[in-house]
Structures are given as structure tokens and as C-alpha cells.
Amino acid sequence: AETVRLLSSSQVITSVVSVVKELIENSLDASATTIDIRLENYGFDKIEVRDNGNGIKVADVPVMAIKHFTSKISSSEDLEQLTTYGFRGEALGSICCVSEVLVTTKTADDDISTQYVLDSTGHITSQKPSHLGQGTTVTVLKLFKNLPVRKQFYSTNKKCKEELKKVQDLLVAYGIIKPELRITFVHNKAVLWQKNRVSDHKMACMSVLGTAVMGSMVPFQHRCEDPEINLSGFLPKADSSSSLTSLSSSERSFIFINERPVHQKDILKLIRQYYSVLMQKDSTRLYPVFFMNITVPASAVDVNVTPDKTEVLLHYKESVLFAVENVLKTLYGPLPA
Ligand code: ADP
Ligand code: MG
């Protein structure tokens, strides 16, 4: 049974970035407006995510890290109307299975916060009063202590640095889609990235991409009905002769479906196609900077495809692609025949 647990856990928790992703999604599901992420030794010694969210109810604490417990959905109808990032009740239990976990939490109803120590099966082994304010802090120590091969994968400096970059990219993505969210990212006591609360997506893009890049972008908005699809965001200006928006070194493109950062190769490909004609360059070497916020009915998205939820299945994919193409045609003109 232990081996089975370890195997299934290591599918959800594949890396430092996957731990961070699950923890910040929990913070967002708890309506946090401030999230601090602290890593030590690239996350392998310690990953700590602190939020000012709702906290965990005393009644939920004993089961919070038991696999398949979730406080977020209670019926299969809920699953079709999903508005939270989490729904499987798998993350916390999986993290316990591959590391040592402490959870400190306080709800508005609690007088003080309590720190709980969890074992590898997600059960609480001890608890003590703590001094933290409302919200939840999850501390993950010795990640992959029992998966030496996985740890070995990160034995080089290069791999570690890449992982750190991935964590930052992920935080940047949530920072853009949640303008009102304050994020601080610390590694070995050095602040690597920080974002303040801002009022809207434009300001969020500005703080992430810089004013110069934002100056060469245009906002777009597109709406279709039946199924209801809303597209909005920023794309490079059509007259953009500037290379600011076509950085080929790092990818600065952000696609969100119902506020989830996603990889949608088809959408990315479409944007690059139209953009490359405009720039008269080979699309394989162009990485346009853009932000695309797609909202579709919750029932149209199936996030249950991959354990880490970055690939989502869109039931109206054709309609979404059609809508994206509409935006691109309006902005850049039709593709040459
Ligand atoms: P899921 O997110 O799918 O519900 P998780 O394993 O990620 O499953 O979390 C289990 C439960 O622990 C959640 O349903 C929630 O009740 C509680 N929880 C975890 N992290 C937090 C947090 N930061 N704030 C409030 N509750 C949390
Ligand atoms: Mg979760």
C-alpha cells in the first residue's frame, strides 16, 4: 500500500514547482489576498507558502491531508460547475507522502493559530499553539527524501536554477490573472520577485512585463454567445516594429482559461502564425508577448485530464479557436492564402 501511495503521489507532485502550484492554488481557493513563498536550497530543504486566507476549520483539520478529502465539492454536479482550483483532495496528502509537512492555520473563529505536524499518510502526529495571524502556512521539508532518483534529477546547479525560474514563471502567471493578489517570492532569504496589489489586469501586466513592453501592446476584447465565450487581454500592436514584443529568448505568453494558467498549443500556434506574418519572420523563432484571458462556461472545461491540471480539455475548443482567430484577423488582417 505504501508503494501505491508513493507512486500515485509522485504523479501529482513531480517537482518543486508542482508543490508550489498546489499550495498557492489552495491559498487562492481560501480567498487569500497575500501569499508569501519561501524556498530554501531551491525548495529541496524547505518550501513554505503562507497566506492570509480563510484558514482551515478545526473539523477539517484531521482529514485535510487524507487522500480524496476536499472541502470544496460535495457532488458530481459541483464538479461540472467548478469554480475552485482544487477539487480532488489529493495535493496535501501527496505532498505528505514525499516530504515532511507542517500546517499552521487560523480561521476567523479561532482565537489563536495552531501548528500541526503531519506524517507520511497525512495523519496528525502532534500539535501546538502558534503565533501566526489568520490564514494558513504550509511548510514542506525534505522534499523527495524517499525518492532519491527524483532528487538526483535536480543534482546539477543548472537544473536547480531552471526549477527556480519555473516557480517564478508560475507565480508571475498567477500574479497577472489575480491583480488584487500580493505575492512575495524568496529564495534563501533573497527576494527574487514581488508583486503588489493592483487594480486590474492591465496594471498587473504592466508590473510584470514592464511599461515599455506594455506600451507596444493593444487591448482586445471579444465575446460570443452560445456557448458564451469571452476573450480579453493584450496582444502586440499591429504596427509593432519593436522587438520588445517578440522576445525569442524567453517565452512571455500567458493564456488563462477560467483563471487557470494553461498550455494551449493550438492557441499559441494561431497567435504565432498571425504575428509572424505581420513581423515577416519565421514563426518558429517568434515568441510574441501576450496575455489572453479566456472565460467559458465552467461546464465546458475538464481540468481532470492531467494530474497537475495544466492541460485542460475544452469541450468547445473549435469555438474558442474560432473566436481567437477572429481577434487575430481583426488586429493583424487575414493570413495570406
Ligand atoms: P483540494 O484542494 O483538492 O481540496 P488539497 O489536498 O489541496 O485538496 O487540500 C485539502 C483540503 O485542505 C482543502 O479542501 C482545504 O479544505 C484544506 N486546505 C489546504 N490548504 C489550505 C489553505 N491554504 N487554506 C485553507 N484551506 C486549505
Ligand atoms: Mg488543492
Side-chain angles (χ1 to χ4, degrees):
E2 189 55 33
T3 318
V4 173
R5 277 180 59 85
L6 193 57
L7 273 176
S8 72
S9 296
S10 58
Q11 279 185 328
V12 188
I13 302 306
T14 53
S15 56
V16 171
V17 64
S18 62
V19 174
V20 173
K21 180 168 193 287
E22 294 296 340
L23 296 182
I24 60 176
E25 288 189 348
N26 281 346
S27 297
L28 292 171
D29 285 344
S31 307
T33 55
T34 300
I35 306 182
D36 292 340
I37 301 93
R38 284 170 188 277
L39 306 186
E40 279 173 29
N41 184 24
Y42 301 96
F44 293 103
D45 289 352
K46 183 172 175 175
I47 301 170
E48 188 164 84
V49 174
R50 174 164 304 175
D51 70 50
N52 66 345
N54 300 329
I56 305 172
K57 286 198 212 93
V58 173
D60 288 342
V61 164
V63 284
M64 65 188 170
I66 302 302
K67 287 219 180 152
H68 308 303
F69 167 80
T70 176
S71 58
K72 295 167 194 173
I73 59 169
S74 46
S75 67
S76 56
E77 287 82 65
D78 287 352
L79 195 52
E80 281 175 14
Q81 290 303 325
L82 203 63
T83 54
T84 54
Y85 288 109
F87 56 92
R88 278 194 290 247
E90 237 168 9
L92 222 44
S94 297
I95 297 170
C96 286
C97 203
V98 295
S99 64
E100 290 171 15
V101 177
L102 307 173
V103 177
T104 309
T105 195
K106 179 185 178 306
T107 66
D109 295 332
D110 303 328
D111 293 330
I112 56 155
S113 64
T114 307
Q115 182 180 74
Y116 301 91
V117 180
L118 301 164
D119 69 12
S120 68
T121 61
H123 291 91
I124 290 158
T125 56
S126 68
Q127 67 182 71
K128 64 175 189 199
S130 168
H131 63 278
L132 298 179
Q134 188 186 319
T136 303
T137 300
V138 179
T139 310
V140 176
L141 304 166
K142 302 185 192 161
L143 183 67
F144 301 141
K145 55 173 183 157
N146 48 353
L147 290 171
V149 175
R150 181 147 314 170
K151 226 182 139 180
Q152 187 63 30
F153 180 76
Y154 294 100
S155 60
T156 66
N157 215 350
K158 183 161 173 275
K159 278 266 181 289
C160 284
K161 291 235 162 78
E162 282 170 6
E163 190 68 8
L164 217 50
K165 173 80 169 54
K166 281 186 197 162
V167 172
Q168 183 164 333
D169 287 347
L170 182 79
L171 299 178
V172 165
Y174 285 99
I176 288 186
I177 199 63
K178 300 282 187 189
E180 69 288 1
L181 182 66
R182 210 186 121 88
I183 308 179
T184 309
F185 178 38
V186 174
H187 178 237
N188 294 345
K189 302 212 157 67
V191 177
L192 296 191
W193 185 71
Q194 199 160 22
K195 179 194 154 270
N196 285 322
R197 258 183 265 296
V198 291
S199 53
D200 53 25
H201 288 134
K202 183 177 183 184
M203 296 299 285
C205 285
M206 197 105 90
S207 76
V208 163
L209 301 169
T211 32
V213 170
M214 271 312 274
S216 55
M217 312 269 279
V218 274
F220 65 87
Q221 198 144 32
H222 186 77
R223 183 196 161 92
C224 7
E225 272 163 54
D226 198 29
E228 195 180 322
I229 299 170
N230 277 288
L231 302 182
S232 63
F234 298 89
L235 280 159
K237 272 182 190 159
D239 58 8
S240 180
S241 51
S242 129
S243 58
L244 281 174
T245 49
S246 59
L247 302 173
S248 57
S249 53
S250 75
E251 221 172 302
R252 313 236 73 187
S253 59
F254 302 93
I255 304 175
F256 299 88
I257 297 179
N258 293 0
E259 304 208 336
R260 284 176 193 277
V262 292
H263 301 300
Q264 283 282 327
K265 288 207 181 76
D266 295 348
I267 294 176
L268 185 61
K269 196 175 148 201
L270 264 184
I271 295 175
R272 290 172 69 187
Q273 256 174 6
Y274 276 82
Y275 187 66
S276 67
V277 171
L278 174 82
M279 298 294 284
Q280 298 178 316
K281 276 191 190 144
D282 176 6
S283 77
T284 56
R285 282 187 289 135
L286 276 181
Y287 293 90
V289 178
F290 67 87
F291 159 62
M292 185 171 284
N293 186 12
I294 304 171
T295 60
V296 294
S299 60
V301 200
D302 183 358
V303 286
N304 229 338
V305 215
T306 54
D308 68 0
K309 295 173 283 190
T310 54
E311 306 281 337
V312 304
L313 207 73
L314 262 177
H315 296 314
Y316 307 125
K317 187 144 182 188
E318 291 309 314
S319 313
V320 170
L321 288 176
F322 188 75
V324 170
E325 206 157 357
N326 250 318
V327 168
L328 293 168
K329 268 185 206 144
T330 312
L331 196 61
Y332 299 133
L335 286 179

